[in-house]
Each structure stands twice: as C-alpha cells, then as structure tokens.
Amino acid sequence: MKPTPKPLKPLDDALADLLAQATSLPGSDTVTTFDADGRVLAQDCVSALQVPPQDNSSMDGYAVRCADLKAPGAELPVSQRIAAGSAGEPLLPGTAARIFTGAPVPAGADAVLMQEDCEALAAGPGTVGDPRVRINAVPQPGQWIRRAGEDVTRGAVVLAAGTRLSPAELGLAASIGLHQLQVARRPRVALFSTGDELVMPGDVPPEQMRPGAIYNSNRFFLRAMLLRLGCEVTDFGIVPDRRDATILALRQASGAHDLILTSGGVSVGEEDHIKPAVESLGRLDLWQIAMKPGKPFAYGQIPREGGTAHFMGLPGNPVSSFLTFALLVRPFVLRLQGVRDVAPKSIAATAEFTWARADKRREFLRVRRRAEGGLELFGNQSSGVLTSAAWGDGVVDNPAGRTIAPGDTVQYIAFSDLLS
C-alpha cells in the first residue's frame, strides 16, 4: 500500500514556523552613520535636542509683525538681514527683517512673507537710513515659520531598535547629532550548491559542456540577495553528490556560521543527500509547501560549540529557489538582525492578462507593470525559466484555486521590495 502523502504546508504557516526559530543574533557593531546604510539598529536612537532648535524661516523673504500689516501695499523699513547660521536682533515694531531659508525668526516677528509677495524699494537720490520694502500681501500669523521641535522633540525616540536603516533614516540620525550607531552584527551565512550536473561559468566554455551539465545560476543570485540583506557570505562552492562530501561541507560550515543555505538536493531521490547528511549532524524537517513555484523546502539545525547553526535547503529549479529565498529566507535573515516587520508588501493592481489554470497551490506569477498601470504576464511560468524573473518587476500573489481574467484586481508584490 502506498503511503498517504503529507498535506501541503501553507506558506504562511511555514513562514510563521521559521520566524519562531529566528531569535536575534547576539552581539552588535558600532559603525559610523556614514557606513550604516542597510544595517539594522540594535538600540533606540533618542534625541538630545529638538529639531529645528528654534523657530526658523521656511522661505526667503521678510519677517514681520502681523499687527503692522492690515492691508496690502504697506511700506516698512528693513532693519536687519538674517542669514541661516546667524541670529538676529528682536524685531522692532513697524519694521521688517530680510530673512533667508533656515534662518532663525527674530523675537517679535510672527510671520514670514515670501519675497515674491514683497518689493524691495530702490533708495532715491540722497536717501539716508534703512532700506525699505513694500509688502503686497497681508500675512497670517505663523505663516512660513517652522516651529522649534516640530520635526523632533527632545527626548523622543526618533528611530527604534530593529529599524533597517535607509538614506532617510541616516539623515534623521545625523540631524540629532549621532555620528555613530549601534547596529546588529551581520549574519554569517555559508552558501553551497549540490549537484554533479552543475558547472561554474568560466570553468567550461559553452561549446564544451558535457551532456546533462548546466551552469550554476542559483549561486549567483543567492549570493547577491544575501549581500543585499547585509550578510557576510562564505561561498563553499559546489558539493559533489556524495553523502560523505555533503556531511563534510555541513560540518565545516556549521562551525563559524549562523545559517547554512543550499540549493538543490532537498527532494527524496537517491542522489539527494541533504536530508541524511543534516540528520547525521543535527535535525531536519522536509516541508512540501503549498506554493508554486517552490514546493520543496528544508529547515534544520546543526549544533555547534556555543550555539546552533540554522540550515535551509532550497529547491534546485532557479525560479523556485529565487522565490523561496524571497518569501522565506529573506524574512528569516531580517529577523535574525532584529527587524520586526519582515512581511513583503503587496498592493492592489489590475491584471491585463488571462490565467485560466487554477492551481491547488498558492501561485506567484511573474509579471511586469505597463506604463498605463496594468500588469502583463510572462508567457512561460515554468520554475526553470529564470528569464521570467529577469523580465518581470514583480509577482502576482494568486490564491489557490483562483483564475484571473483581464480587468481583475490582483495583489502585486514588487521585486524591489523582495530584493532589498
């Protein structure tokens, strides 16, 4: 009697199980704010000052008292000139101050008029005293003034631990005077491929490839995706399809790495040695995930001195490997660094294609956006056609059992979100 196949594991359940194992890595690094792009904060950033430090002008123009200007056309003497980085004197009643963007608003002024609403008056022959300005608009109290602390208040947590830093966050950290940041240490990842059919580009020219051989494309995009996530990657190359070679590679990799990532060898064929090799050193679960492409996936742990090395085995087909990394490995690696919100973001979009073949698995269809805003579908959705991922700019997250007709609203996930 044939054994009853295990039910497929929903993708969301698989991700939840993985993240339950992903505790933040111990230790942290101190880096300059200049060098922190893409790193994850290990502690809150608390502001020791307010930003802006004082009321300042958001326009080039004139600082005035609203009480002095009840109707357009009034003329006022310009009593001072205030540039950014300097401090003016209190503004006397019945006068205006020439002021520039970022300059502190002088005490007594309660509005700024942009220079386009004012007219600097030329001094006539023999004129003495302050220059004058004609005000051609009636100001409202507070206009064009950035209030002290309106961006950041003193004592506020401006960036929380677990934030993955982008250029905007770096600028915000610098605005409160932080020249160094405490960040999570980089995950150490060992990467290797299994399969005697694999050949590295450059080792054998295309015209000399033996029958059945293929170039190892997975190694290139997996390494690039790990580096984008801030990992330190050790490339163990291609491991022969032998159990002893696989055990040796796993033993060496587990000693100094937080995660071992492989592609290929996670099915149940006679030449797939990952399962018995990992089990000889630790434990392993083989999952059949209800996603297409990307059904086979393995997670395990290998004990080591002072801790545990996580193990993840991806399918060998390129698109399957690419998408299981994006949807399962990427969130796991981010969680190791302390990031809390690791789910990819989907948006509603309009399909401009037909998908008539409903599948029992949740599908990730390679698409790209048209200039008009709709989505077009790559013609060949096979798990071995990596061209679909290079051509596309994202995927449609299509629920199991659903067909798609032109005009239907679908959920779109951009590669820019999955690959960053």
Side-chain angles (χ1 to χ4, degrees):
M1 180 182 296
K2 294 179 63 176
T4 303
K6 290 183 178 181
L8 298 179
K9 191 180 186 74
L11 176 61
D12 290 341
D13 291 353
L15 180 57
D17 288 349
L18 282 177
L19 294 181
Q21 304 296 323
T23 56
S24 297
L25 297 173
S28 61
D29 298 327
T30 300
V31 299
T32 70
T33 305
F34 273 125
D35 298 323
D37 186 34
R39 302 297 293 269
V40 178
L41 280 175
Q43 63 182 27
D44 294 345
C45 292
V46 179
S47 180
L49 74 165
Q50 59 184 11
V51 181
Q54 61 274 316
D55 292 355
N56 69 81
S57 177
S58 62
M59 289 285 176
D60 291 345
Y62 293 86
V64 297
R65 293 173 178 267
C66 292
D68 295 333
L69 300 166
K70 300 300 185 183
E75 295 183 12
L76 298 176
V78 180
S79 58
Q80 56 184 309
R81 183 180 187 276
I82 310 171
S86 62
E89 300 294 329
L91 186 66
L92 298 175
T95 70
R98 180 71 166 116
I99 197 167
F100 297 89
T101 302
V105 175
D110 57 6
V112 171
L113 285 143
M114 66 174 69
Q115 60 190 18
E116 291 82 353
D117 291 331
C118 305
E119 181 184 355
L121 300 176
T127 300
V128 294
D130 294 327
R132 299 180 69 80
V133 61
R134 179 178 293 121
I135 307 298
N136 296 321
V138 177
Q140 298 298 313
Q143 76 177 37
W144 304 124
I145 294 177
R146 293 186 291 222
R147 296 300 182 187
E150 73 173 33
D151 187 6
V152 177
T153 58
R154 185 179 289 107
V157 175
V158 298
L159 294 168
T163 299
R164 194 168 178 217
L165 297 166
S166 70
E169 280 87 9
L170 298 184
L172 182 55
S175 76
I176 61 172
L178 299 179
H179 75 290
Q180 290 185 327
L181 298 171
Q182 201 75 16
V183 296
R185 73 166 175 84
R186 297 183 184 276
R188 297 186 290 265
V189 181
L191 175 66
F192 64 83
S193 306
T194 63
D196 288 339
E197 75 278 11
L198 297 176
V199 175
M200 283 300 293
D203 290 350
V204 180
E207 64 274 11
Q208 296 178 18
M209 289 281 279
R210 68 183 185 276
I214 58 173
Y215 286 119
N216 185 3
S217 60
N218 295 15
R219 187 167 161 189
F220 287 82
F221 64 70
L222 291 175
R223 181 178 182 275
M225 293 164 90
L226 287 166
L227 292 175
R228 288 190 177 197
L229 294 174
C231 299
E232 296 177 357
V233 181
T234 304
D235 192 334
F236 279 71
I238 300 170
V239 175
D241 274 332
R242 300 195 319 271
R243 186 171 302 183
D244 61 336
T246 305
I247 291 173
L248 177 61
L250 290 168
R251 184 179 289 118
Q252 292 175 338
S254 64
H257 295 89
D258 306 300
L259 171 64
I260 303 167
L261 184 66
T262 70
S263 64
V266 293
S267 61
V268 293
E270 293 180 1
E271 298 301 318
D272 295 326
H273 302 294
I274 289 294
K275 184 176 188 296
V278 176
E279 288 178 334
S280 72
L281 301 171
R283 69 173 184 87
L284 182 74
D285 293 319
L286 285 179
W287 297 340
Q288 298 293 304
I289 300 177
M291 63 178 286
K292 183 179 181 181
K295 182 178 173 183
F297 184 84
Y299 173 76
Q301 294 180 348
I302 299 176
R304 64 176 185 188
E305 184 178 350
T308 299
H310 300 279
F311 172 86
M312 290 187 182
L314 305 180
N317 279 331
V319 183
S320 298
S321 187
F322 180 84
L323 285 174
T324 49
F325 183 101
L327 297 169
L328 292 171
V329 181
R330 177 184 180 272
F332 185 88
V333 169
L334 290 175
R335 186 61 61 83
L336 289 180
Q337 298 176 78
V339 180
R340 304 310 304 170
D341 184 9
V342 296
K345 305 297 188 296
S346 64
I347 60 172
T350 301
E352 295 183 0
F353 60 86
T354 298
W355 187 251
R357 305 186 300 273
D359 197 274
K360 65 180 180 180
R361 290 182 278 167
R362 183 175 170 183
E363 298 177 285
F364 293 90
L365 307 173
R366 277 77 72 204
V367 296
R368 71 180 176 192
R369 289 165 293 188
R370 287 179 167 161
E372 300 79 11
L375 302 175
E376 60 180 319
L377 182 75
F378 191 78
N380 188 341
Q381 292 288 315
S382 168
S383 61
V385 180
L386 195 55
T387 307
S388 64
W391 172 92
D393 58 18
V395 292
V396 166
D397 182 356
N398 192 41
R402 181 185 176 187
T403 59
I404 301 172
D408 285 352
T409 298
V410 295
Q411 291 301 307
Y412 167 80
I413 306 174
F415 283 150
S416 59
D417 189 45
L418 293 174
L419 303 180
S420 62

